[in-house]
Amino acid sequence: MNRKLFLCLLVLSYGMAACSGRVSEEQRTEEGIAEPETVQLVPIVADPMPTASFPDAMLEMYRPLGNEKFNEGKVGFEFNIKNHPFGSQRPIMLAINGSNPEEIPHAVFSKSLSQGTYRAVAYLTDEKGLMLKDFGNYVDRDFMVGDSRSFPAADEPYLVVNLPRDGASIVQGESLIVDFLVVWGDMVADGLEVRVTLDGFEYQTQKQETLELKNLPKGDHVIRLHLLRKDGKELLNAFSSVSRRISVK
């Protein structure tokens, strides 16, 4: 009887020791697992860039005339540039109906256009390709092709975006340049603001700035610029808001 009791106690002691060994091993295993580090996202920031000023540079548009009507097909454009170098290195930039601006190396040229109402905005740039924003550095003109009507509220301020271009691509770590102009309005005197948004980031300014957006994450993005009254209300014309698709590789 005593021998059986001794064997039972021996088996029980061995079981408790084995169980204790497993617990200790499990504890060591848990302690040895490193907690994953929390990835801290770097916020997007906007820094104003220094820009050139050429108040004497003048861009004039001789054609089209204001609200001139054309038949479908080729529409003639004619410009004159004063006090500013012009050519392949300093072309005229031309944006039609808020589209990506195109380089125009000639003062007289034509474009094939279908029926519709058009707003052409031409402007001069500095050696970096940034907009010149002094009065006289840019000019705009509305015209019609075929059976079309003029734009409503033609006296309202609106936006012209030089950069970024729709479909632009940058490498992660590079800055995204945002270069815009407000036409037919003085931002301070008329109480205007421009709001720039991208992926939850928001920046508002009452200046005609050129911005560097930094710390953009990889992927496809849409950047939006809105021209607002100071009370936060958007203007209602077709060109008070501009969107551009960009990608970060």
Side-chain angles (χ1 to χ4, degrees):
M1 185 69 178
N2 290 339
R3 185 178 180 181
K4 291 182 179 179
L5 180 59
F6 173 78
L7 290 175
C8 289
L9 290 173
L10 185 61
V11 172
L12 181 61
S13 298
Y14 178 80
M16 291 177 64
C19 184
S20 176
R22 286 195 298 271
V23 171
S24 298
E25 184 177 350
E26 290 171 359
Q27 288 175 342
R28 285 195 301 272
T29 301
E30 291 176 355
E31 291 173 357
I33 298 175
E35 288 291 329
E37 294 184 4
T38 302
V39 178
Q40 187 68 37
L41 295 177
V42 181
I44 298 172
V45 296
D47 290 335
M49 293 177 59
T51 55
S53 178
F54 290 86
D56 294 331
M58 180 73 68
L59 179 62
E60 299 173 327
M61 182 184 285
Y62 294 158
R63 289 204 69 188
L65 301 175
N67 288 320
E68 187 174 359
K69 293 188 176 183
F70 298 89
N71 295 324
E72 291 189 58
K74 289 188 176 181
V75 173
F77 290 80
E78 184 175 353
F79 293 93
N80 185 47
I81 302 95
K82 297 179 179 178
N83 305 320
H84 192 70
F86 174 66
S88 59
Q89 299 302 315
R90 293 285 187 91
I92 297 169
M93 300 302 298
L94 178 67
I96 296 181
N97 283 1
S99 62
N100 275 345
E102 59 179 309
E103 297 181 356
I104 306 296
H106 307 289
V108 180
F109 60 96
S110 62
K111 292 182 67 67
S112 293
L113 297 173
S114 58
Q115 177 177 313
T117 303
Y118 295 90
R119 176 167 295 171
V121 184
Y123 55 90
L124 302 174
T125 62
D126 65 12
E127 67 279 359
K128 298 178 181 178
L130 301 178
M131 302 177 93
L132 301 184
K133 301 176 183 180
D134 289 306
F135 184 77
N137 295 163
Y138 54 90
V139 63
D140 68 331
R141 196 64 48 82
D142 289 355
F143 60 93
M144 289 152 282
V145 176
D147 186 14
S148 187
R149 297 181 179 180
S150 60
F151 287 116
D155 58 344
E156 271 203 332
Y158 67 93
L159 278 170
V160 181
V161 175
N162 179 40
L163 296 170
R165 309 283 160 76
D166 195 49
S169 178
I170 63 172
V171 177
Q172 189 175 33
E174 290 183 350
S175 297
L176 180 71
I177 307 301
V178 181
D179 191 25
F180 65 88
L181 175 70
V182 175
V183 183
W184 291 357
D186 183 284
M187 297 188 70
V188 176
D190 297 331
L192 302 172
E193 294 181 337
V194 173
R195 177 191 296 156
V196 181
T197 60
L198 188 152
D199 290 358
F201 165 82
E202 183 176 304
Y203 178 90
Q204 287 194 197
T205 179
Q206 208 174 356
K207 300 178 181 179
Q208 301 214 72
E209 297 178 310
T210 299
L211 304 171
E212 280 188 283
L213 295 192
K214 301 177 180 179
N215 306 328
L216 270 64
K218 284 187 177 181
D220 297 326
H221 309 275
V222 177
I223 182 169
R224 295 181 173 87
L225 289 86
H226 305 273
L227 183 59
L228 313 169
R229 303 285 186 190
K230 284 194 70 175
D231 58 9
K233 294 181 179 179
E234 289 193 36
L235 284 80
L236 300 179
N237 67 73
F239 306 108
S240 62
S241 180
V242 179
S243 298
R244 294 283 190 261
R245 295 170 292 106
I246 61 105
S247 63
V248 180
K249 304 296 186 183

